[in-house]
Amino acid sequence: MKKTALVTGAEGFVGSHLVKFLQTKGWSVIGSYLHGSVSFPELPNLRFTPCDLGNGQRITQILARYEPTHIFHLGAQSLPTVSWADPVTTFQSNVMGSLYLFEAARHMKRRPVIVSACSSAEYGNVPASAIPVTEEQHLRPLHPYGISKVCLDLLAREYFLDYNIPAVIIRLFNGHPVFEGDTNHFAHRLTALGKRQLAAESSFWEQSVQALSKILTAREQPA
Ligand SMILES: NC(=O)c1ccc[n+]([C@@H]2O[C@H](COP(=O)([O-])OP(=O)(O)OC[C@H]3O[C@@H](n4cnc5c(N)ncnc54)[C@H](O)[C@@H]3O)[C@@H](O)[C@H]2O)c1
């Protein structure tokens, strides 16, 4: 069966690379994005469609139309600082948006694998003695963004246990590029760090995409 991926947050830092990565691997790819004014690459078997994750009907419509075999759920309000200023919008995108996605997937005839981008922010402050962090570490997020990712984490678990949806979560740790123009606080901090660290951080998307791909491959191997 041909693999069809829906990538939410396809205009984002990781998503924009993931759609191209999957396309070069021969997947049919649909990238969903929030804003209208983004330019996308024109490549075979890669198309883009607008979708606000806060719009459950739209998500249902997209899943019914494209019937993805895999969903890479990266779309999110991804900034802790913004989540303090606007926790409601953050929860609408990250929690309700994720719930709409899992609900729509549960009603599909063939339920897709859903890979969700969770976050190290779920752990909160970790004592030095607990580093490197393992998945057994308590989840004690320090801001609404981190809490929203704990919700996604638990939603994925629930939909796996209750509805047998093949759900995979990956807790990504921080890394962000320097964008031209619009940027975020990670990028500002990185800019202050100097070019060497920036070069290292710019490979973050490669590591993220490789990790997503490897986890998926492992998930698909028979137990
Ligand atoms: N980059 C990191 O350091 C890092 C670390 C941990 C977790 N993550 C998570 O990984 C995922 C990808 O990260 P990223 O760095 O590419 O983030 P990003 O902010 O660059 O991309 C996320 C995209 O989601 C979109 N989005 C926001 N609200 C939306 C909504 N309501 N509906 C649809 N789309 C919406 C944004 O427009 C954005 O383009 C995110 O879920 C993020 O929380 C990233």
Side-chain angles (χ1 to χ4, degrees), residues 60-223:
T60 303
Q61 196 181 49
I62 289 173
L63 264 53
R65 175 166 178 194
Y66 296 107
E67 299 184 322
T69 55
H70 296 73
I71 299 174
F72 294 87
H73 181 35
L74 308 181
Q77 190 302 98
S78 65
L79 301 178
T81 45
V82 173
S83 80
W84 270 309
D86 192 352
V88 173
T89 303
T90 300
F91 268 56
Q92 278 166 347
S93 296
N94 300 9
V95 181
M96 288 310 297
S98 300
L99 181 58
Y100 290 141
L101 186 72
F102 277 96
E103 266 300 287
R106 143 167 117 90
H107 293 291
M108 290 174 73
K109 269 194 210 133
R110 186 176 289 130
R111 291 171 183 168
V113 176
I114 303 183
V115 181
S116 296
C118 289
S119 172
S120 60
E122 292 174 57
Y123 295 116
N125 280 337
V126 176
S129 58
I131 293 173
V133 182
T134 69
E135 290 183 4
E136 280 65 47
Q137 185 65 30
H138 292 297
L139 303 181
R140 292 176 181 139
L142 299 171
H143 38 62
Y145 166 73
I147 297 169
S148 77
K149 289 295 180 177
V150 173
C151 292
L152 169 57
D153 207 305
L154 295 176
L155 271 179
R157 185 171 184 276
E158 189 225 328
Y159 275 77
F160 166 68
L161 293 174
D162 291 352
Y163 305 113
N164 210 22
I165 287 190
V168 179
I169 62 158
I170 171 168
R171 293 183 188 145
L172 295 166
F173 280 64
N174 286 339
H176 228 284
V178 176
F179 291 109
E180 299 274 334
D182 190 25
T183 182
N184 64 31
H185 71 292
F186 284 120
H188 283 302
R189 281 168 53 198
L190 287 168
T191 307
L193 286 175
K195 282 185 183 164
R196 213 167 115 236
Q197 284 96 330
L198 287 177
E201 295 298 338
S202 70
S203 69
F204 174 80
W205 69 262
E206 285 176 319
Q207 293 167 17
S208 301
V209 166
Q210 292 292 347
L212 287 162
S213 170
K214 276 185 189 162
I215 285 170
L216 195 62
T217 311
R219 171 71 183 71
E220 288 179 342
Q221 278 166 0

